[in-house]
């Protein structure tokens, strides 16, 4: 088993019915807001008048360069008074990333409103969710209106409009809650994966203020499901093509003037024995404690995956593909700061199935003692925990959270959402 993680040598030390078709709910989102209108001076992605030479000695720390203004350490991006914020895409990468995020906001809005309309207050109550909980979900849908409007304003008049969606994979409230906590997880992780790479730092600032709200939504859905709200120390990011692979199959059609997204669609990966958080004996709770988790190190995880070449997504415009000619060899487990690989075993006769063993390990060594002179008791954070992601690969390349997209050329199927805990 190979561990790949940020600063591994210094930090880790090795270590988801039948129902009506869903559609457009409102049509006012494509009009840009004056608050985000184009400034009189256009900035480029390279404008940065205050950054010092890349010679900062982090081991020394402290102020090492003259301050450009009182109480303002040198460096940073967009901190000079001459740097007028430009809240719009500055590159193809920006446009395609933000447009993907907009599609995610649309499906969340549709999903929340659909469930509130389909299920009665009595059905919600039977699942342990009272009127206050229903109102909270309604408020989440209102948040999605705001998020969609924000990204539409950032993108401008050619921003994608609302689409229509497949029947969702649930027939009761508990199923809705489970699907929602997984969908919001990949939406959240999909933005984390590109946020720090945006050329438009101003747009990234606004998107940060949106995605942090979505992270709270995901935690609330975990509480509604009776899961511990945050069983991890760090939230993972995933590449845009991973997020689009998970999202696109749920979209049936979009308005003709919506632009085609540039991201790749990988073949689908199915975890045939994925742990099921939907326990009929577990009620919603703020922070429930269970004697037995959903998964454990050493658990056999059974997989099936599709061949490339399948038509997916809106209007039949997308086809699954891979960049590699290799064969399935590993499962990549993406969680927290880590990408961990385990070998695929028992490959089926058709080459489209097998199994792997859930890895153990912790993000940091589970040791007590002193850290910078501060004493603490032994604690440990399992690498595989919470709602996370796995993919089938042909190799086990070293990647970190900042360059995780380099794994894409090795992906043969996935990602799939794994309910680890």
């Amino acid at each position: 088993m190979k561990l790949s993680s940020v600063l591994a040598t210094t930090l880790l030390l090795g270590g988801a019915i039948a129902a009506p078709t869903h559609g457009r709910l409102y049509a006012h989102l494509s009009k840009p807001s004056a608050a985000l209108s184009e400034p009189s001076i256009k900035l480029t992605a390279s404008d940065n008048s205050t950054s010092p030479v890349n010679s900062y000695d982090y081991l020394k720390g402290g102020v090492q360069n003259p301050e450009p203004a009182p109480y303002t350490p040198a460096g940073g991006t967009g901190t000079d008074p001459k740097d007028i914020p430009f809240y719009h895409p500055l590159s193809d990468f920006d446009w395609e990333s933000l447009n993907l995020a907009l599609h995610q906001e649309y499906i969340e809005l549709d999903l929340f409103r659909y469930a509130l309309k389909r299920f009665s207050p009595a059905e919600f109550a039977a699942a342990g969710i009272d009127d206050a909980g229903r109102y909270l979900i309604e408020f989440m849908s209102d948040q999605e209106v705001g998020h969609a409007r924000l990204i539409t304003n950032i993108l401008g008049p050619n921003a994608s409009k609302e689409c229509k969606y497949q029947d969702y994979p649930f027939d009761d409230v508990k199923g809705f809650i489970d699907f929602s906590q997984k969908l919001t997880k990949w939406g959240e992780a999909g933005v984390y994966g590109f946020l720090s790479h945006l050329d438009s730092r101003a747009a990234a600032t606004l998107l940060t203020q949106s995605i942090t709200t979505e992270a709270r939504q995901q935690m609330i859905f975990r509480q509604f499901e009776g899961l511990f709200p945050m069983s991890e120390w760090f939230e993972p990011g995933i590449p845009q093509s991973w997020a689009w692979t998970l999202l696109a199959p749920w979209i049936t059609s979009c308005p003709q003037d919506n632009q085609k997204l540039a991201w790749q669609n990988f073949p689908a990966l199915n975890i045939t024995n994925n742990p099921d958080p939907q326990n009929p004996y577990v009620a919603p709770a703020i922070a429930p404690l269970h004697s037995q988790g959903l998964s454990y190190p050493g658990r056999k995880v059974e997989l099936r995956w599709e061949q490339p070449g399948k038509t997916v997504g809106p209007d039949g415009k997308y086809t699954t593909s891979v960049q590699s000619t290799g064969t399935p060899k590993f499962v990549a487990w993406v969680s927290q700061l880590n990408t961990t690989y385990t070998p695929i075993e028992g490959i089926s006769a058709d080459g489209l199935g097998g199994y792997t063993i859930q890895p153990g390990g912790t993000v940091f060594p589970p040791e007590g003692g002193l850290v910078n002179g501060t004493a603490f008791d032994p604690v440990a954070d399992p690498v595989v925990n919470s709602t996370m992601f796995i993919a089938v690969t042909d190799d086990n390349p070293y990647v970190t959270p900042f360059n995780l997209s380099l794994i894409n050329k090795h992906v043969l199927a996935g990602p799939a959402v794994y309910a680890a805990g």
Side-chain angles (χ1 to χ4, degrees):
M1 180 175 64
K2 173 181 175 182
L3 281 181
S4 174
S5 174
V6 59
L7 301 179
T9 57
T10 57
L11 292 182
L12 303 186
L13 304 180
I17 66 172
T21 299
H22 323 303
R24 307 178 72 175
L25 297 172
Y26 47 88
H28 66 276
L29 297 181
S30 61
K31 183 178 180 181
S33 165
L36 298 178
S37 60
E38 185 174 319
S40 58
I41 301 176
K42 276 193 174 182
L43 301 181
T44 66
S46 61
D47 284 340
N48 187 3
S49 59
T50 62
S51 289
V53 178
N54 294 328
S55 60
Y56 186 81
D57 184 355
Y58 78 94
L59 294 174
K60 178 181 177 182
V63 174
Q64 302 177 23
N65 296 277
E67 295 184 350
Y71 308 104
T72 306
T77 301
T79 59
D80 191 281
K82 297 177 183 178
D83 295 337
I84 301 174
F86 184 67
Y87 294 101
H88 301 282
L90 289 171
S91 62
D92 294 343
F93 184 92
D94 286 6
W95 170 269
E96 295 296 335
S97 299
L98 289 161
N99 209 20
L100 170 62
L102 180 57
H103 276 285
Q104 182 70 29
E105 305 296 353
Y106 284 147
I107 194 173
E108 290 167 2
L109 173 59
D110 182 83
L111 173 63
F112 300 164
R113 288 189 168 177
Y114 166 77
L116 289 169
K117 183 177 181 179
R118 174 173 180 180
F119 300 119
S120 68
E123 289 174 295
F124 273 98
I129 300 175
D130 59 13
D131 289 344
R134 291 180 66 254
Y135 175 76
L136 180 55
I137 297 172
E138 181 181 353
F139 185 75
M140 290 183 194
S141 72
D142 294 341
Q143 291 175 326
E144 300 307 333
V145 173
H147 298 171
R149 185 168 188 177
L150 172 70
I151 301 175
T152 296
N153 292 342
I154 294 173
L155 288 170
N158 289 317
S160 290
K161 299 177 178 63
E162 309 95 305
C163 299
K164 295 182 179 180
Y165 303 94
Q166 298 276 7
D167 296 334
Y168 293 123
F170 53 78
D171 55 12
D172 57 22
V173 172
K174 283 187 173 290
F176 157 65
I177 297 299
D178 182 60
F179 183 65
S180 296
Q181 73 96 353
K182 293 173 180 174
L183 183 143
T184 52
K185 183 68 174 190
W186 86 58
E188 174 192 352
V191 171
Y192 292 154
F194 70 75
L195 192 60
S196 60
H197 295 283
L198 290 176
D199 291 308
S200 176
R201 306 311 302 154
T205 297
L206 298 182
L207 196 57
T208 300
Q209 295 174 268
S210 166
I211 200 61
T212 49
T213 301
E214 186 155 321
R216 298 179 182 186
Q217 293 177 353
Q218 201 272 339
M219 188 182 79
I220 289 169
F221 280 119
R222 286 183 61 87
Q223 292 174 310
F224 279 160
E225 197 164 17
L227 298 172
F228 195 74
M230 43 182 178
S231 55
E232 68 277 54
W233 290 1
F234 306 96
E235 303 304 330
I238 57 174
Q240 296 97 321
S241 291
W242 288 37
W244 184 231
T245 295
L246 291 167
L247 172 59
W250 298 105
I251 308 175
T252 57
S253 64
C254 293
Q256 291 185 354
D257 55 351
N258 275 14
Q259 298 189 20
K260 187 176 184 290
L261 271 69
W263 307 113
Q264 186 174 7
N265 298 84
F266 293 109
L269 173 62
N270 179 32
I271 306 168
T272 60
N273 65 337
N274 208 342
D276 186 3
Q278 300 179 64
N279 189 329
Y281 303 104
V282 174
I286 294 175
L289 295 176
H290 302 303
S291 59
Q292 186 175 358
L294 294 177
S295 71
Y296 50 88
R299 182 177 187 267
K300 184 178 181 180
V301 179
E302 301 171 352
L303 308 170
R304 289 289 298 175
W305 55 89
E306 296 178 351
Q307 293 179 328
K310 179 180 178 180
T311 299
V312 294
D315 306 298
K317 293 182 178 180
Y318 301 85
T319 304
T320 61
S321 65
V322 298
Q323 301 176 40
S324 170
T325 59
T327 57
K329 295 179 180 178
F330 297 96
V331 171
W333 302 72
V334 176
S335 176
Q336 305 196 69
L337 305 180
N338 301 67
T339 296
T340 305
Y341 297 94
T342 54
I344 295 180
E345 303 178 57
I347 297 292
S348 60
D350 61 4
L352 298 175
Y355 70 89
T356 194
I357 302 301
Q358 179 172 323
T362 59
V363 175
F364 297 105
E367 300 175 358
L370 294 175
V371 173
N372 291 336
T374 301
F376 66 96
D377 294 327
V379 293
D381 177 28
V383 168
V384 175
N385 210 345
S386 191
T387 306
M388 54 164 297
F389 308 93
I390 68 172
V392 173
T393 65
D394 69 349
D395 201 359
N396 54 352
Y398 178 83
V399 289
T400 70
F402 193 70
N403 66 359
L404 180 59
S405 62
L406 296 180
I407 200 176
N408 285 351
K409 64 182 180 181
H410 298 286
V411 173
L412 301 178
V417 178
Y418 185 66

